[in-house]
């Protein structure tokens, strides 16, 4: 018998079985709830895209509006400056005015005039920074560089509903707006001051102002900017090279100290944190380094800046938390044709003060620990400096509290003593800093009344000294005789 399966085809599956297989392989059908969820998800995504587009359009609109407002303010200010410049030209045809209506930036001071013995004060306003522009802060400072007037617009009174605003105006030796470069500032009074230092007069440049107003920017340097201090260094060595020969020899040295928490530190020593003390008129243990070129002097300047104490506050990301004094010492030996040696010496103090500040403005509270201690020390020394300036500005000078602060002890010659001094008061133009700006302007205006007693530091031959002494006695006797004649 053969195999019954051989040669026979397999039976086809029944239609019922095929229908069940197709039902198993078919995807699940969507319910009405699923469809609604997909529609809602799509609508939500579209709404988010529309909201994002609206936010982007709003941001672009705000940027355009801020730019338009800034352009309008600038154009209005330029128009006011142009009109005031034209009025000044008509009233003062002999004054040096440029083609664009601005004062030519080469007005230097004649230190030989009696009125130049007082401290020269200039004010500098910085532009609004990025944070102030984002907050739409108003510029409330107007600098009249032709008449050397600084006008501060006061906030409207809160009690009355009137929109009228008062203003207060101060007059200084020079005023500079936010468009003025440090090179233009140096080319005026600082240039004359450094030149008098080369002649043998002690000189000092002080930078004062609130935190974040541009003091360190004005005095120091960064990759994109050269401040007063490096410009003075270049000026000194250019003068040295022009004057030095076989009969005239220069010896230039530098030191760099900071006053941190009322402690004196040497920024150029191997241990910048070591505390130094004042003995007599000198700082005991202070290292003074000889320099023979611009490069070597700049090396010590950068080294000291790197060792200086800074920290971040809400006013400034790199706020100086100490007072810094970079001092250049110069001694010149000149041999005349007869073989007699004449000595000339002087020192130049370049002072970058820590910012005057209110604890609430800088984000420092009583719980801030070291930051609060730093802030107290800064305000203490600046307060003492203010007392010294106030005492020296009186017609009858009484007790001057130099010894209440390390800062004023070190700057005693610069404040009412044997030095030619200028102060650069740095200002913030934002309305949010109105109180600090007004305080700085008052502080600087009082400083204008301080008179110094600068003399040329020249070591003369004993015979020349005797002759000068006799000449002074003769002058004094003649004045007494003239006074008696007037009384009779």
């Amino acid at each position: 018998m053969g195999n019954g399966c051989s040669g026979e085809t397999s039976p086809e599956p029944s239609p019922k079985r095929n229908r069940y297989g197709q039902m198993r392989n078919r995807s699940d059908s969507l319910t009405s709830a699923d469809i609604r969820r997909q529609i809602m998800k799509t609508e939500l995504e579209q709404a988010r895209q529309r909201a994002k587009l609206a936010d982007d359009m709003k941001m672009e609109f705000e940027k355009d509006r801020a730019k338009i407002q800034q352009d309008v303010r600038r154009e209005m200010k330029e128009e006011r400056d142009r009109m005031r410049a034209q009025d000044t030209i008509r009233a003062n045809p002999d004054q040096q005015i440029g083609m664009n209506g601005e004062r030519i930036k080469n007005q230097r001071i004649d230190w030989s005039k009696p009125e130049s013995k007082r401290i020269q004060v200039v004010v500098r306003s910085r532009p609004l920074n990025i944070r102030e522009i984002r907050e739409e802060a108003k510029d409330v400072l107007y600098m009249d560089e032709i008449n050397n007037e600084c006008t501060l617009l006061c906030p409207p009174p809160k009690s009355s509903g009137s929109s009228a605003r008062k203003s207060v105006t101060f007059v200084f030796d020079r005023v500079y707006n936010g468009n003025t470069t440090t090179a233009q500032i140096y080319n005026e009074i600082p240039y004359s001051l450094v030149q008098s230092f080369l002649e043998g007069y002690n000189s000092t440049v002080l930078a004062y102002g609130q935190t974040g107003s541009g003091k360190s920017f004005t005095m120091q340097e960064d990759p994109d900017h050269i401040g007063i201090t490096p410009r003075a260094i270049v000026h000194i060595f250019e003068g040295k090279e022009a004057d030095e020969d076989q009969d005239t020899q220069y010896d230039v040295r530098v030191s760099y100290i900071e006053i941190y928490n009322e402690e004196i530190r040497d920024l150029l020593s191997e241990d910048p944190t070591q505390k130094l003390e004042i003995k007599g008129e000198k700082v005991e243990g202070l290292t003074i380094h000889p320099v023979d070129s611009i490069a070597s002097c700049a090396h010590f300047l950068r080294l000291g800046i790197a060792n200086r104490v800074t920290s971040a506050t809400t006013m400034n990301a790199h706020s100086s938390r100490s007072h810094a004094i970079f001092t250049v010492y110069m001694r010149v030996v000149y041999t005349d044709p007869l073989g007699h040696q004449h000595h000339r010496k002087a020192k130049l103090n370049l002072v970058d003060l820590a910012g005057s500040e209110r604890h609430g403005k800088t984000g420092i509270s009583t719980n801030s620990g070291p930051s609060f201690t730093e802030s107290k020390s800064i305000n203490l020394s600046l307060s003492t400096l203010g007392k010294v300036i106030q005492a020296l500005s009186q017609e009858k000078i009484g007790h001057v509290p130099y010894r209440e602060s390390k800062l004023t002890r070190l700057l005693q010659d610069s404040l009412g003593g044997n030095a030619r001094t200028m102060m650069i008061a740095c200002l913030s133009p934002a309305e949010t800093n109105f109180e600090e700006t007004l305080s700085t302007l008052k502080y600087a205006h009082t400083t204008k009344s301080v008179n110094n007693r600068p003399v040329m530091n020249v070591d003369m031959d004993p015979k020349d000294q005797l002759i000068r002494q006799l000449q002074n006695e003769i002058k004094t006797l003649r004045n007494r005789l003239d006074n008696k004649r007037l009384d009779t």
Side-chain angles (χ1 to χ4, degrees), residues 166-178:
K166 296 182 180 180
S167 64
V168 57
T169 300
F170 298 86
V171 179
F172 295 98
D173 297 293
R174 299 286 189 275
V175 299
Y176 303 103
N177 60 34

Side-chain angles (χ1 to χ4, degrees), residues 283-301:
V283 178
E284 190 176 39
L286 177 66
T287 58
I288 301 178
H289 302 265
V291 289
D292 56 3
S293 65
I294 296 173
S296 61
C297 195
H299 164 72
F300 287 114
L301 176 63

Side-chain angles (χ1 to χ4, degrees), residues 114-313:
E115 59 269 20
S116 300
K117 290 184 178 180
R118 65 172 176 79
I119 295 180
Q120 304 293 303
V121 180
V122 306
V123 293
R124 181 186 195 182
S125 172
R126 62 164 173 78
L128 291 172
N129 58 34
I130 296 175
R131 177 176 58 83
E132 292 165 345
I133 293 174
R134 287 175 178 172
E135 296 174 354
E136 297 187 356
K138 296 180 180 179
D139 188 338
V140 293
L141 270 179
Y142 175 72
M143 297 294 193
D144 183 354
E145 295 194 359
I146 298 171
N147 298 311
N148 295 314
E149 294 179 350
C150 174
T151 300
L152 178 63
L153 189 64
C154 302
K158 297 180 180 179
S159 57
S160 63
S162 174
S163 61
R165 304 178 67 173
K166 296 182 180 180
S167 64
V168 57
T169 300
F170 298 86
V171 179
F172 295 98
D173 297 293
R174 299 286 189 275
V175 299
Y176 303 103
N177 60 34
N179 298 322
T180 306
T181 64
T182 304
Q184 292 171 327
I185 295 174
Y186 183 83
N187 200 33
E188 295 196 349
I189 298 182
Y191 181 95
S192 307
L193 193 68
V194 176
Q195 194 63 35
S196 69
F197 161 74
L198 292 171
E199 295 171 0
Y201 290 91
N202 295 335
S203 305
T204 299
V205 180
L206 285 163
Y208 175 84
Q210 76 172 105
T211 299
S213 60
K215 300 180 302 301
S216 297
F217 175 83
T218 299
M219 295 299 293
Q220 297 177 8
E221 66 172 346
D222 56 45
D224 301 323
H225 173 262
I226 302 176
I228 297 292
T229 300
R231 291 180 187 277
I233 291 171
V234 173
H235 187 173
I236 290 169
F237 279 94
E238 286 180 349
K240 172 180 177 291
E241 293 174 3
D243 188 42
E244 199 169 31
D245 55 26
Q246 60 180 3
D247 296 326
T248 306
Q249 299 297 319
Y250 277 72
D251 179 26
V252 182
R253 300 170 182 266
V254 297
S255 68
Y256 205 171
I257 65 173
E258 75 169 350
I259 304 172
Y260 175 71
N261 286 344
E262 280 300 296
E263 294 180 358
I264 300 175
R265 299 180 178 183
D266 185 354
L267 295 176
L268 302 182
S269 69
E270 295 181 357
D271 182 11
T273 62
Q274 183 180 359
K275 180 181 177 182
L276 304 180
E277 296 293 340
I278 301 175
K279 295 290 182 69
E281 297 181 355
K282 297 182 179 181
V283 178
E284 190 176 39
L286 177 66
T287 58
I288 301 178
H289 302 265
V291 289
D292 56 3
S293 65
I294 296 173
S296 61
C297 195
H299 164 72
F300 287 114
L301 176 63
R302 295 191 183 101
L303 177 62
I305 293 174
N307 290 330
R308 194 176 174 191
V309 177
T310 61
S311 64
T313 68

Side-chain angles (χ1 to χ4, degrees), residues 329-381:
Y329 307 87
M330 180 194 69
R331 187 174 185 86
V332 183
V333 180
Y334 166 68
T335 305
D336 62 22
L338 298 178
H340 300 296
Q341 287 190 344
H342 304 271
H343 299 266
R344 183 173 79 246
K345 61 181 180 179
K347 68 176 180 178
L348 172 65
N349 291 321
L350 299 161
V351 186
D352 180 14
L353 298 174
S356 59
E357 56 192 26
R358 289 186 298 165
H359 297 154
K361 268 295 186 72
T362 54
I364 297 173
S365 66
T366 55
N367 298 323
S368 300
S371 298
F372 183 68
T373 304
E374 291 171 355
S375 184
K376 285 198 303 181
S377 299
I378 291 169
N379 290 335
L380 172 64
S381 56

